[in-house]
Amino acid sequence: MHTNPEEAVREKPGGKNKSQSPLQLGLHRFIRNKMAVVSLFILLIIIMICVMAPVFTTIDPEETNLLLIEKGPSNEHILGTNGTGQDNFARLLYGGRVSLIVGFSAMFFTLIIGVILGSLAGYYGGKVDNIIMRATDIMLMLPFLVLVLTIMAIIDKVTIGLFVTIIALTSWPNLTRIIRGTYLSLREQEFVLSARAIGATDFRIIFKHFIPNAIGPIVVNATLMMASYIIIESGLSFIGFGIPKPTPTWGNMISEAQNIRILRNHPEAWIPPGLGILITVLSINFIGDGLRDAFDPKSNRR
């Protein structure tokens, strides 16, 4: 058994022991982390509100009305309108949906690339490791933001899918190196040698022994990546290199409020999307910390 022996048995009050799986133990520890649970609850509320945007507003977030430019809050437009007469409340809800989709999708595809390449490099070593690590070194030599901005400038029209693809294809090296390092420390462990001795396939060893023991770094980096990608999308959209307007995103909403007149007279146009980014990113980071402490066998926090 490759997990820590104390993880397999948990002592209950009264001196009785109950066998639990690593997943059950991890979920139990996560539930005991109040900050992580509260953050998960807040994130779920944000996701639910964004997904159910049509329930909260019937206004098209991309619909312009030149008669309603930069209007203040009213019964019809709760957060007023922007410089093209678009409803800020509708753009806040639909923009949150886009920002969350971009963050999760970019994280998911980066995770797939990083785990596959890191697994191959760390498990097989030799020439496979050298090829993957040299490619990783080349990618790390290129400044991430400069590389992304260059690609964005070359492309005529950036779509959500294309934006996610660009982020995933340029941000996998760090995760690859982390997974590789974790695998190298596990390769000569007794449970791996035992699995090889009984004829376990490489596929089974990687998925049954390596990945479960590397779940801590994977989970933590996945959550950090999702939070980072939401910030990256907002930052790039703010300077005009992200998701193009009129598609609503939180970054686009803040970009639309760059005018000093709007900053001073219409805080309702930029404070809500700013708070949306702040609360979402903080919630994801706290959830990541809770998952790390819950599923990492080496963690001392309980």
Side-chain angles (χ1 to χ4, degrees), residues 25 28 66 71 74 105 118 126 138 162 178 182 205 241 258 284 289 294:
L25 289 170
H28 180 74
L66 299 181
K71 294 294 183 180
S74 62
S105 300
I138 292 173
L162 188 57
I178 291 172
T182 303
I205 292 174
F241 285 89
Q258 290 185 71
I284 293 172
D289 289 341

Side-chain angles (χ1 to χ4, degrees), residues 133-142:
M133 284 301 100
R134 296 302 74 78
T136 301
D137 292 338
I138 292 173
M139 292 295 297
L140 290 174
M141 287 172 57
L142 303 173

Side-chain angles (χ1 to χ4, degrees), residues 15 21 31 33 65 85 123 132 150 153 163 212 231-232 237 245 251 263 276 286 302:
S21 68
I31 293 173
N33 189 322
N65 189 336
Y123 183 79
I132 294 176
T150 302
F163 184 85
I231 295 177
I232 289 171
S237 295
K245 301 174 184 178
L263 287 174
F286 283 132
R302 294 290 181 264

Side-chain angles (χ1 to χ4, degrees), residues 171-199:
S171 57
W172 55 266
N174 285 324
L175 180 62
T176 298
R177 296 187 69 175
I178 291 172
I179 299 300
R180 171 186 178 267
T182 303
Y183 277 30
L184 289 176
S185 66
L186 294 172
R187 253 194 335 189
E188 304 304 323
Q189 295 291 325
E190 292 183 359
F191 61 87
V192 175
L193 298 177
S194 299
R196 287 174 178 162
I198 62 175

Side-chain angles (χ1 to χ4, degrees), residues 57 59-74 76-92 94 244-249 252-257 262 266 268-269:
T57 179
I59 301 176
D60 184 349
E62 299 184 17
E63 180 183 357
T64 60
N65 189 336
L66 299 181
L67 299 177
L68 297 174
I69 293 177
E70 295 182 16
K71 294 294 183 180
S74 62
E76 184 179 358
H77 304 284
I78 299 175
L79 296 178
T81 59
N82 63 8
T84 57
Q86 296 170 327
D87 184 76
N88 285 328
F89 181 67
R91 291 181 68 78
L92 177 69
Y94 285 93
K245 301 174 184 178
T247 302
T249 71
N252 278 340
M253 289 190 68
I254 298 177
S255 176
E256 293 163 358
I262 297 178
H266 298 283
E268 71 278 355

